[in-house]
């Protein structure tokens, strides 16, 4: 068992990337994620990698596109406004079926907003933030350990499905320090990158592109991407439950807010309230089946988010009317992060109505 | 008798979609000629931009990555950093490079990325139907400057070759034209020289090539070709604005 | 004596070769090719020196030159 380190979430993500074999990083400063480029600017040169602080987030996602087109494991990171700037590039990568990891340590918005924790980028992340109706896997860590592990996993998903993958954290998960066990990279069977450009070298011409103008060509391409999403839904869903088996109220939340909810649930249990937690780890593919099962069994679901209500829509879709779905949101901003006591109060009220 | 003029090996033997008299075709051949001259076809990765030249992979027999509009020099940066042992060039129009892609080209040049950028300046947005571009001449009518480009409102045309020559990272920056045999022969030499800078790892090289656009200028091919010499060259002077190693 | 061949299908009748030829040996013909263009032709090649300026200027690489 490798030794435990005491590390910031942002740095854990960068460490996870290096352990996953990422040697190319292109980024741009923005609070609250700048520790990631700072860390990688120190580490990559010594590993024979390439670090570029680009002139903008737009340039950095396109540099990622270029390096990925050559078959290299590459990454970029930013925070909400910067992620908005990258959406066009992400859409091109999805359309060109290019792997790559994009870390969003989201901050509050809209506009300049603030630098506090926020989950307001949920829709942008899981519903395909750029043009053209694509999806990308979105992983939501709620601890420093998961910032490390899920970043490594993101690289495997990217290569397995030839797609960009997003790690969606926020300023709480990114800025807090916790113990980290830097596990070795999991060994996985990954497909050969026989599509990567490399200079013909006497072989066949290879082209990485997303333009398809032939009759029916782009429709077929869209269905091909869609089929990948179905496979992801079957094979790549990740979630975690806590005291959910006998729960009569299932609290549901991802990322940092799930940590607060877990404390509130433990306190509620001490008051004899049968409350449990369902935490989606993959926001896409969304754990529809598992959530529906647990939610219907409990009979009532309480969705908690650091926004005005986004994931709650997917929860309602999953439960499909077969259980009551309540919502408690704290749109992000200074002083808006709910305390466990505040959540406990909401839980009490939700239970009182049973 | 022996064949004295051949199609470059790097250029596919296919019909192009370019309009009659459009110089893209000639410029494609000069780029292919330069690749053949330096023997780099098999190790080249081209980066296509979005514009009339978007089908780069259809005409060059090389590996190609398609970049979003304006981002080719950033994509090429990622490619060259990932494969420094490969030959990397971008081929971009004036809308792509001098408007939406200005930040990307200036910073790729300023970083001195070891790539070659071929920039086709035809003073308009060709593919989208002849709108005003950053290189549109003052007074020139386009579909979005119907009363002629107004210097007070639209500024004057951007001179990219001179602009980039100011940047420390740039090793070679030149402007050429292909509107006459004399200019064409010089253009061929410059294209080979620019590609040579990359082949010898001397840093960022840039070639701006003036081009006619008969369709969107509303002219016959011959009149459009004449316009390059009569109106464009006086403003967009031909020449080598930077050539490190032999100042 | 040198000779040129103009690919009648590939030529788009732009005429650039007609002004490039130092000896004005090339002109556009009346016929219309399958593309709808009137391709270039060089009916009289006695004066041709094989300088290949026509081939160099051609945007469609439609001219082959023999010397």
């Amino acid at each position: 068992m490798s030794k435990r380190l005491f590390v910031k979430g942002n740095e854990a993500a960068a460490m996870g990337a290096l352990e996953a074999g990422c040697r190319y990083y292109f980024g741009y400063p923005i609070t609250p994620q700048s520790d990631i480029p700072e860390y990688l600017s120190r580490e990559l040169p010594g590993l024979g990698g390439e670090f570029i602080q680009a002139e903008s987030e737009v340039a950095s996602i396109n540099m990622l596109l270029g390096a990925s087109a050559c078959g290299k494991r590459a990454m970029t990171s930013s925070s909400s406004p910067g992620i908005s700037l990258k959406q066009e590039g992400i859409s091109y990568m999805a359309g060109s079926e290019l792997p790559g990891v994009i870390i969003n340590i989201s901050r509050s918005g809209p506009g300049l907003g603030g630098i506090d924790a926020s989950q307001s980028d949920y829709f942008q992340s899981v519903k395909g933030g750029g043009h053209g109706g694509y999806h990308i896997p979105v992983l939501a860590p709620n601890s420093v350990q998961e910032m490390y592990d899920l970043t490594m996993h993101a690289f495997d998903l990217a290569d397995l499905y030839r797609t960009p993958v997003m790690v969606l954290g926020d300023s709480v998960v990114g800025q807090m320090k916790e113990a980290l066990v830097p596990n070795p990279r999991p060994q996985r069977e990954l497909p050969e990158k026989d599509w990567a450009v490399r200079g013909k070298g006497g072989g066949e011409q290879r082209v990485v592109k997303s333009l398809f103008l032939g009759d029916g060509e782009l429709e077929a391409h869209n269905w091909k991407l869609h089929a990948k999403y179905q496979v992801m839904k079957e094979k790549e869903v990740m979630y975690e439950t806590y005291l959910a088996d006998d729960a009569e109220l299932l609290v549901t939340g991802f990322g940092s807010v799930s940590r607060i909810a877990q404390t509130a649930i433990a306190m509620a249990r001490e008051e004899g309230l049968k409350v449990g937690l369902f935490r989606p780890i993959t926001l896409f593919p969304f754990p529809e089946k598992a959530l529906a099962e647990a939610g219907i069994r409990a009979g009532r679901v309480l969705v908690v988010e650091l926004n005005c209500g986004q994931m709650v829509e997917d929860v309602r879709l999953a439960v499909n009317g077969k259980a009551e779905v309540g919502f408690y949101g704290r749109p992000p901003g200074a002083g808006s992060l709910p305390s466990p006591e505040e959540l406990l109060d909401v839980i009490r009220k939700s239970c009182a109505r049973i | 008798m022996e064949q004295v003029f051949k199609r470059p090996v790097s250029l596919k033997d296919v019909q192009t979609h370019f309009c009659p008299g459009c110089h893209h075709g000639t410029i494609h051949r000069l780029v292919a000629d330069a690749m053949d001259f330096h023997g780099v076809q098999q190790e080249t990765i081209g980066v296509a931009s979005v514009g009339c030249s978007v089908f780069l992979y259809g005409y060059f027999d090389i590996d190609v990555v398609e970049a979003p509009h304006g981002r080719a020099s950033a994509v090429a940066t990622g490619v060259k950093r990932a494969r420094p042992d490969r030959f990397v060039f971008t081929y971009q129009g004036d809308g792509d490079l001098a408007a939406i892609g200005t930040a990307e080209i200036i910073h790729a040049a300023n970083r001195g990325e070891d790539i070659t950028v071929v920039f086709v300046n035809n003073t308009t947005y060709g593919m989208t139907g002849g709108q005003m571009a950053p290189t549109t001449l003052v007074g020139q009518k386009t579909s979005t400057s119907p009363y002629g480009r107004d210097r007070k409102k639209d500024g004057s045309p951007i001179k990219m070759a001179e602009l980039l020559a100011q940047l420390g990272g740039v090793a070679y920056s030149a402007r050429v034209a292909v509107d006459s045999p004399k200019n064409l022969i010089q253009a061929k030499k410059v294209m080979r020289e620019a590609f040579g800078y990359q082949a010898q790892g001397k840093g960022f090289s840039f070639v701006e090539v003036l081009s006619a656009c008969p369709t969107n200028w509303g002219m016959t091919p011959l009149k459009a070709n004449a316009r390059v010499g009569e109106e464009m060259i006086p403003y967009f002077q031909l020449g080598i604005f930077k050539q490190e190693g032999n100042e | 004596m040198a000779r040129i061949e103009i690919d009648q299908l590939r030529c788009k009748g732009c005429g650039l070769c007609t002004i490039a030829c130092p000896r004005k040996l090339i002109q556009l013909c009346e016929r219309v090719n399958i593309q709808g263009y009137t391709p270039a032709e060089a009916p009289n090649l006695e004066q041709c020196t094989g300088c290949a300026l026509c081939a160099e200027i051609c945007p469609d690489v439609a001219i082959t030159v023999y010397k």
Side-chain angles (χ1 to χ4, degrees):
Chain A
M1 239 272 275
S2 32
K3 58 184 173 18
R4 281 156 52 113
L5 307 172
F6 188 54
V7 173
K8 228 178 176 180
N10 281 340
E11 289 191 344
M15 291 166 69
L18 294 180
E19 178 58 26
C22 170
R23 290 297 177 266
Y24 298 87
Y25 174 84
F26 313 99
Y28 189 82
I30 182 168
T31 302
Q33 62 88 50
S34 300
D35 314 87
I36 298 175
E38 287 165 354
Y39 183 88
L40 292 171
S41 68
R42 290 195 300 271
E43 298 300 322
L44 277 172
L47 295 165
E50 288 287 331
F51 168 86
I52 297 183
Q53 180 176 300
E55 57 272 27
S56 70
E57 290 93 344
V58 175
S60 64
I61 187 72
N62 282 286
M63 292 175 188
L64 172 59
L65 188 152
S68 169
C70 297
K72 301 294 181 182
R73 283 196 152 182
M75 182 170 96
T76 186
S77 65
S78 187
S79 171
S80 305
I83 297 292
S84 294
L85 287 174
K86 292 180 195 282
Q87 291 303 325
E88 179 202 40
I90 294 171
S91 173
Y92 270 75
M93 287 180 69
S96 311
E97 295 191 273
L98 283 176
V101 172
I102 298 112
I103 297 185
N104 178 8
I105 306 300
S106 48
R107 56 189 270 168
S108 32
L112 194 49
I115 56 170
D116 305 87
S118 156
Q119 298 183 325
S120 308
D121 297 354
Y122 175 87
F123 278 150
Q124 182 193 56
S125 314
V126 301
K127 304 297 179 186
H131 62 285
Y134 63 91
H135 285 284
I136 60 173
V138 180
L139 311 178
N142 79 342
S143 67
V144 167
Q145 184 67 47
E146 278 194 346
M147 285 282 277
Y148 179 90
D149 294 337
L150 290 181
T151 298
M152 275 199 295
H153 183 53
F155 278 99
D156 285 343
L157 284 181
D159 286 347
L160 269 170
Y161 293 93
R162 279 182 67 181
T163 174
V165 177
M166 176 171 284
V167 174
L168 180 63
D170 64 17
S171 40
V172 165
V173 174
Q175 288 295 332
M176 72 183 181
K177 273 196 167 186
E178 278 183 329
L180 167 69
V181 176
N183 304 313
R185 167 184 178 180
Q187 289 313 324
R188 282 192 75 153
E189 187 56 47
L190 294 174
E192 207 218 314
K193 295 186 175 178
D194 54 8
W195 44 265
V197 294
R198 72 313 187 196
K200 266 161 55 86
E204 281 302 305
Q205 175 187 43
R206 288 181 187 169
V207 180
V208 167
K209 71 181 177 78
S210 54
L211 182 72
F212 298 96
L213 293 180
D215 281 357
E217 215 183 338
L218 191 50
E219 179 184 6
H221 185 62
N222 269 277
W223 286 121
K224 174 185 173 193
L225 297 178
H226 191 74
K228 281 204 278 190
Y229 306 144
Q230 301 321 315
V231 174
M232 289 178 199
K233 283 182 179 172
E234 278 144 32
K235 291 191 178 158
E236 306 301 342
V237 163
M238 291 165 73
Y239 62 90
E240 186 187 52
T241 57
Y242 169 68
L243 306 179
D245 297 343
D246 67 337
E248 291 162 9
L249 173 69
L250 189 72
V251 178
T252 305
F254 70 92
S256 51
V257 82
S258 67
R259 295 283 292 270
I260 307 168
Q262 201 158 326
T263 309
I265 287 165
M267 293 152 74
R269 280 281 174 172
E270 274 157 27
E271 296 176 3
L273 297 174
K274 289 206 167 88
V275 191
L277 174 73
F278 183 99
R279 175 173 73 100
I281 297 173
T282 53
L283 301 182
F284 188 91
F286 192 70
E288 297 152 0
K289 291 197 195 76
L291 175 57
E293 247 166 60
I296 293 162
R297 190 172 61 236
R300 171 169 298 162
V301 179
L302 171 64
V303 180
V304 287
E305 292 181 79
L306 299 180
N307 56 42
C308 296
Q310 295 187 28
M311 188 179 75
V312 59
E313 293 189 9
D314 286 330
V315 172
R316 287 200 174 106
L317 278 175
V319 166
N320 201 8
K322 299 194 185 76
E324 221 186 289
V325 177
F327 171 71
Y328 178 72
R330 293 299 298 272
S336 302
L337 199 61
S339 65
E341 290 69 22
E342 283 168 301
L343 286 193
L344 176 57
D345 196 40
V346 178
I347 287 170
R348 284 196 196 102
K349 288 197 185 87
S350 302
C351 289
R353 280 203 298 282
I354 291 172
Chain B
M1 281 208 270
E2 186 225 300
Q3 188 176 348
V4 290
F5 179 86
K6 283 200 207 59
R7 163 184 293 273
V9 171
S10 319
L11 198 63
K12 291 183 181 176
D13 188 359
V14 294
Q15 170 100 30
T16 67
H17 73 291
F18 298 122
C19 307
C22 167
H23 286 138
H24 266 306
T26 320
I27 299 162
H28 272 47
R29 189 179 60 73
L30 292 186
V31 170
D33 166 80
M35 274 198 278
D36 286 6
F37 179 75
H38 293 288
V40 291
Q41 176 198 4
Q42 297 302 327
E43 58 195 66
T44 294
I45 299 170
V47 178
S49 62
V50 174
C52 287
S53 62
V54 68
F55 297 130
L56 200 73
Y57 43 83
Y59 302 137
F60 287 97
D61 187 16
I62 57 173
D63 277 3
V64 171
V65 184
E66 179 184 81
H69 187 44
R71 320 304 178 194
S73 48
V75 171
T77 296
V79 171
K80 188 72 178 189
R81 294 300 185 99
R83 294 299 305 268
D85 57 335
R86 284 294 172 256
F87 200 91
V88 180
F89 76 94
T90 77
Y91 186 107
Q92 302 172 252
D94 34 14
D96 189 277
L97 181 136
I100 187 171
T102 319
E104 283 79 2
I105 189 65
I106 284 180
H107 287 282
N110 199 53
R111 285 189 304 267
E113 298 296 339
D114 205 357
I115 60 176
T116 304
V117 172
V118 178
F119 168 47
V120 178
N121 170 358
N122 60 8
T123 74
T124 187
Y125 280 77
M127 185 172 80
T128 43
Q131 293 79 18
M132 181 173 70
T135 46
T136 295
L137 296 180
V138 171
Q140 181 181 337
K141 289 191 169 72
T142 72
S143 64
T144 50
S145 61
Y147 309 110
R149 178 177 188 156
D150 173 358
R151 217 173 66 71
K152 283 197 297 309
K153 291 222 175 86
D154 310 314
S156 17
I158 291 179
K159 296 181 177 179
M160 286 311 296
E162 292 89 335
L163 183 67
L164 295 182
Q166 314 306 318
L167 302 174
V170 174
Y172 188 91
S173 178
R175 178 181 299 116
V176 295
V178 291
D179 61 325
S180 69
K182 182 171 81 63
N183 286 345
L184 182 104
I185 287 160
Q186 169 66 2
K188 189 174 190 176
K189 185 170 92 50
V190 162
M191 194 68 81
R192 288 182 175 186
E193 238 168 37
F195 274 65
Y197 264 66
Q198 180 176 169
Q200 293 134 40
K202 283 199 211 156
F204 184 90
S205 47
F206 181 79
V207 181
E208 177 175 346
V209 190
L210 301 183
S211 169
C213 179
T215 300
N216 287 303
W217 293 356
M219 293 176 177
T220 65
L222 289 183
K223 280 214 183 63
N225 188 68
R227 179 179 184 250
V228 174
E230 286 152 13
E231 289 179 30
M232 289 178 68
I233 292 179
Y235 183 85
F236 293 113
Q237 310 258 317
L238 306 187
I240 298 173
F241 303 98
K242 191 165 191 185
Q243 191 169 14
E244 242 162 44
N246 43 15
E247 261 87 19
Chain C
M1 201 199 35
R3 184 167 58 79
I4 68 168
E5 274 166 18
I6 301 173
D7 180 330
Q8 295 300 294
L9 280 179
R10 193 67 56 88
C11 172
K12 293 174 184 164
C14 74
L16 290 180
C17 54
T18 66
I19 56 169
C21 175
R23 305 204 163 169
K24 300 288 170 262
L25 304 177
I26 310 174
Q27 68 218 16
L28 295 186
C29 68
E30 301 305 321
R31 274 177 302 97
V32 175
N33 72 10
I34 192 167
Q35 302 258 15
Y37 299 124
T38 52
E41 60 180 11
N44 183 337
L45 286 171
E46 272 135 34
Q47 303 291 323
C48 177
T49 63
C51 71
L53 286 180
C54 57
E56 292 269 1
I57 213 90
C58 174
D60 293 284
V61 201
I63 302 176
T64 325
V65 186
Y66 301 91
K67 205 170 171 179

